[in-house]
């Protein structure tokens, strides 16, 4: 299959061919500074020149060296709202400028960003800091428009940059400008814009129905709490500013609402969200005290056996807490933290295994299982089958880590009945059992980021097979039953990494949840392809299904239990 022709570029307006050629040269020169600043007086044509470049640079088929990957018109925006908009365009879940910079720093692909009219932004100074941070990344190019003579123009051009002042004559071909102006008579000046819509920052219904960017700007300007709405809106703003019905916006706002605000807001938002695709069963956000927020979530497991009805929740510091799944109240926690925790799994007997960043497994008891008594206890004084399984899995993970090139270091973990499932940074999934060689399959290009398992019924007699779903840094989710070959095609694929997967049987229906690195959470009913989505406003790092089919979502800011309508 041959590629289509490269789109032709039109000439820029008003004889700006020299300026356009310079911009294209800057884009194509690997030795050029990462920052280009277009300046000029009001009415000099800066915005028109950038619009020409953005219009052509974002078309399908544009060659890579001229490609524009993200652009944000800055009038009325702050650094935070600009980061939200760029994050959505670049498939990055960015709650703040720092999140955006951190994500781009780890993604070494070439990225070109255009930012028109910085001088008209809501907080130009904070945007200058964001621009300089972006331009400091070797693989990122930033093109900024700013009016000459402003303090922000001076700040941007104080360091290394490619500067173009459109008031200087060398950036205009006068003969072409005269020809262009003859063919394009001047049009009347635009009329004053329509007055901004009014909304009440204390009223959930008002802010959920209004333009979300205007609401965000108003909350950023305000010093009041507005009953807790301001903090909730700014916490989840990267989701709230998406195009969506007011009911879905109310759902997201409810999930981000803290318990320090007006207690009437939760009921109001729940009523506003009655037509949304989910119901919020409970939510705990940063700063909550009754019950307390469990911290940034890195792993979630729904308990079974002695832990039935509970959630195993691990935070960013490696502390593993046990919560009541019905209320999110604390039940207890494991005695030892595991720094660098990557994943946790429970094994049906009160045992929790934790995977650390070095690819090693650590086992602790979260609850005591029923133990044999009397003569049975005397006869069964050796390690249990479960203990032997976990010992075999820990030894296997250690062996993978100790490989000479360490390409097989374990990066993902789950329990699967009488098996432990591991994923590694080479894309291979390993199923460990007692007394048999592990089953392996190469499922991903690059690191395995998540594994989940369920017992799939295959007969009326109650026979089951283990079904695995795995996610990878390659942006795919794959299915594998270890007794057969993996499915050749992915179950899902997107242009961003998978953060977490969860799978369960809900009645007679198989359901799968996927958390993507751009902040999207998907809930798929696999029997009939029904799809629900949820955008919490930041990356979901962990997912779990409760025993009755609710979905629990864990982020750096919140832990939320959702019920599909």
């Amino acid at each position: 299959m041959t590629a289509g022709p490269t789109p032709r570029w039109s000439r820029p307006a008003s004889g700006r061919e020299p300026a356009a050629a310079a911009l294209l040269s800057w884009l194509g020169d690997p030795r050029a500074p990462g920052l280009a600043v277009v300046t000029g007086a009001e009415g000099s044509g800066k915005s028109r020149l950038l619009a020409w470049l953005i219009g052509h640079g974002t078309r399908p088929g544009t060659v890579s060296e001229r490609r524009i990957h993200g652009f944000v018109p800055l009038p009325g925006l702050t650094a935070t709202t600009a980061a939200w908009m760029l994050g959505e365009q670049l498939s990055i879940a960015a709650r703040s400028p720092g999140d955006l910079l951190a994500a781009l720093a780890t993604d070494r692909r070439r990225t070109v960003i255009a930012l028109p009219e910085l001088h008209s932004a809501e907080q130009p100074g904070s945007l200058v800091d964001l621009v300089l941070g972006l331009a400091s990344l070797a693989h990122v190019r930033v093109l900024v428009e700013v009016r000459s003579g402003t303090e922000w123009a001076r700040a941007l051009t104080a360091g290394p940059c490619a500067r173009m002042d459109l008031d200087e004559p060398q950036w205009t071909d006068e003969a072409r400008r005269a020809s262009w102006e003859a063919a394009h008579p001047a049009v009347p000046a635009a009329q004053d814009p329509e007055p901004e819509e009014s909304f009440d920052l204390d009223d959930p219904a008002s802010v959920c129905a209004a333009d979300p960017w205007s609401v965000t700007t108003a909350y950023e300007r305000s010093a009041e709490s507005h009953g807790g709405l301001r903090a909730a809106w700014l916490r989840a703003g990267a989701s709230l500013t998406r195009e969506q019905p007011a009911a879905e916006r109310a759902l997201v706002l409810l999930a981000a609402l803290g318990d320090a605000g007006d207690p009437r807001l939760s009921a109001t938002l729940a009523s506003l969200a009655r037509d949304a695709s989910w119901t919020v069963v409970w939510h705990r956000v940063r700063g909550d005290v009754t019950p307390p927020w469990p911290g940034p979530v890195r792993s979630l497991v729904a308990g079974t056996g002695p832990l039935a009805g509970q959630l195993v929740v691990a935070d960013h510091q490696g502390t593993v807490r046990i919560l009541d799944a019905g209320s999110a109240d604390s039940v207890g926690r494991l005695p030892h933290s595991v720094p660098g925790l990557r994943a946790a799994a429970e094994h049906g007997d009160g045992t929790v295994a934790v995977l650390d960043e070095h690819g090693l497994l650590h086992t602790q008891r979260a609850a005591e299982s029923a133990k044999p008594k009397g003569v049975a206890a005397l006869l069964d004084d050796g390690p249990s089958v479960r203990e032997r399984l976990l010992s075999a899995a820990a030894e296997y993970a250690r062996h993978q880590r100790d490989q000479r090139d360490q390409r097989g270091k374990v990066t993902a973990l789950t329990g699967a009945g009488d098996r432990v499932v591991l994923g590694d940074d080479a894309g291979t999934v390993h199923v460990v059992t007692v007394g048999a060689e592990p089953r392996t399959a190469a499922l991903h290009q690059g690191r395995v980021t998540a594994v989940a398992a369920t017992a799939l019924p295959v007969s009326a007699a109650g026979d089951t097979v283990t079904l695995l779903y795995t996610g990878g840094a390659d942006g795919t989710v794959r299915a594998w039953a270890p007794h057969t070959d993996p499915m050749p095609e992915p179950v899902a694929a997107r242009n961003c990494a998978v953060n977490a997967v969860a799978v369960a049987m809900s009645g007679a229906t198989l359901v799968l949840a996927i958390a993507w690195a751009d902040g999207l959470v998907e809930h798929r009913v696999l029997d009939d392809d029904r799809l629900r989505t949820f955008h919490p406003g930041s990356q979901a790092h962990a997912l779990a299904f409760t025993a009755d089919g609710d979905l629990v979502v864990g982020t750096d800011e919140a832990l939320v239990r959702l019920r599909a309508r």
Side-chain angles (χ1 to χ4, degrees):
M1 183 175 179
T2 58
T6 301
R8 293 189 59 185
W9 287 53
S10 64
R11 292 186 179 277
S14 302
R16 292 295 190 186
E17 282 84 353
L23 288 178
L24 294 178
S25 177
W26 169 75
L27 282 173
D29 183 357
R31 298 166 298 178
L35 174 62
V37 184
V38 177
T39 66
E42 182 179 1
S44 60
K46 304 182 298 299
S47 297
R48 179 178 286 174
L49 177 63
L50 261 68
W52 170 84
L53 184 68
I54 292 167
H56 288 287
T58 54
R59 291 186 302 177
T62 298
V63 295
S64 59
E65 72 173 20
R66 294 184 175 184
R67 183 77 181 162
I68 306 294
H69 302 93
F71 69 94
V72 175
L74 295 177
L77 295 187
T78 64
T80 298
T81 49
W84 293 348
M85 196 174 289
L86 280 172
E88 185 169 358
Q89 295 175 17
L90 301 174
S91 297
I92 295 171
R95 286 191 59 252
S96 67
D99 286 350
L100 180 69
L101 290 170
L104 285 173
T106 60
D107 185 343
R108 305 301 298 176
R109 291 176 295 181
R110 172 185 168 96
T111 303
V112 180
I113 296 169
L115 300 172
E117 298 187 80
L118 182 139
H119 49 272
S120 298
E122 179 71 17
Q123 298 171 5
S126 63
L127 277 158
V128 168
D129 293 338
L130 174 59
V131 169
L132 295 177
L134 290 168
S136 71
L137 302 174
H139 54 288
V140 176
R141 293 276 175 113
V142 188
L143 174 61
V144 184
E145 174 203 345
V146 62
R147 191 170 295 163
S148 296
T150 62
E151 60 180 292
W152 312 296
R154 290 190 290 272
L156 287 169
T157 56
C161 69
R163 180 175 178 271
M164 176 187 295
D165 185 347
L166 290 186
D167 294 330
E168 296 174 352
Q170 69 264 33
W171 303 119
T172 306
D173 184 320
E174 290 297 339
R176 290 195 180 279
R177 182 171 73 171
S179 174
W180 189 90
E181 289 178 348
H184 300 81
V187 297
Q191 297 181 350
D192 291 338
E194 293 292 325
E196 292 185 3
E197 63 177 313
S198 60
F199 45 82
D200 182 353
L201 294 179
D202 295 311
D203 179 6
S206 179
V207 296
C208 287
D211 171 62
W213 296 103
S214 299
V215 173
T216 301
T217 300
Y219 275 134
E220 288 197 305
R221 290 173 178 169
S222 176
E224 300 179 20
S225 69
H226 301 283
L229 284 175
R230 180 182 184 275
W233 186 281
L234 297 180
R235 178 179 289 120
S239 173
L240 293 166
T241 49
R242 297 174 53 257
E243 287 294 327
Q244 59 192 310
E248 299 291 341
R249 193 166 284 131
L251 174 82
V252 174
L253 192 55
L254 173 60
L257 187 67
D259 67 2
D262 187 331
R264 298 169 294 183
L265 288 176
S266 291
T268 302
L269 284 168
S271 177
L272 293 171
R274 60 186 176 273
D275 293 328
S277 50
W278 299 94
T279 297
V280 175
V281 179
W282 50 251
H283 61 290
R284 303 288 174 261
V285 304
R286 184 184 291 271
D288 280 1
V289 294
T290 51
W293 173 61
V297 180
R298 287 296 178 272
S299 178
L300 268 175
V301 185
T304 58
L307 296 177
Q310 299 174 353
L311 295 170
V312 180
V313 184
D315 70 15
H316 65 305
Q317 295 179 327
T319 300
V320 181
R321 294 176 173 84
I322 311 300
L323 306 184
D324 184 281
S327 64
D329 288 335
S330 177
V331 176
R333 69 190 221 173
L334 298 190
H336 305 294
S337 297
V338 180
L341 180 147
R342 283 217 170 160
E346 70 90 38
H347 299 279
D349 65 346
T351 303
V352 174
V354 176
L355 174 69
D356 70 18
E357 62 187 344
H358 304 294
L360 299 179
L361 293 184
H362 308 261
T363 301
Q364 299 184 53
R365 298 291 299 180
E368 291 300 323
S369 60
K371 294 185 176 181
K373 299 179 181 179
V375 175
L378 292 174
L379 296 175
D380 185 18
D381 59 353
S384 68
V385 173
R386 191 76 63 193
E387 289 168 338
R388 285 187 286 137
L389 170 64
L390 292 174
S391 177
E395 182 58 32
Y396 188 79
R398 189 182 305 277
H399 172 75
Q400 291 297 111
R401 186 206 60 169
D402 292 341
Q403 294 295 308
R404 185 177 61 182
D405 58 7
Q406 290 199 11
R407 285 186 302 169
K409 185 179 73 174
V410 174
T411 56
L413 162 73
T414 195
D418 60 352
R419 309 173 186 195
V420 172
V421 184
L422 309 171
D424 67 28
D425 56 9
T428 303
V429 176
H430 312 255
V431 181
V432 180
T433 56
V434 175
E437 285 296 312
R439 291 268 301 169
T440 65
L443 300 181
H444 296 276
Q445 298 293 321
R447 181 166 58 94
V448 179
T449 56
V451 291
T454 191
L456 183 68
V458 293
S459 74
D463 297 322
T464 64
V465 298
T466 298
L467 182 60
L468 306 179
Y469 284 86
T470 66
D474 59 359
T476 65
V477 175
R478 294 187 176 273
W480 178 36
H483 66 285
T484 65
D485 293 332
M487 292 179 61
E489 298 297 325
V491 175
R494 296 181 68 235
N495 188 32
C496 64
V498 178
N499 279 356
V501 293
V503 64
M505 292 299 301
S506 180
T509 303
L510 187 64
V511 290
L512 172 70
I514 309 167
W516 301 92
D518 64 352
L520 170 67
V521 175
E522 292 185 323
H523 176 278
R524 298 175 176 232
V525 181
L526 296 177
D527 294 344
D528 57 14
D529 295 329
R530 278 179 288 164
L531 174 66
R532 288 182 179 85
T533 62
F534 178 62
H535 292 78
S538 58
Q539 290 191 56
H541 296 292
L543 302 169
F545 283 110
T546 65
D548 47 4
D550 290 351
L551 178 63
V552 185
V553 180
T555 75
D556 281 344
E557 295 291 317
L559 182 66
V560 185
R561 178 170 172 171
L562 300 170
R563 180 168 297 153
R565 291 190 186 273

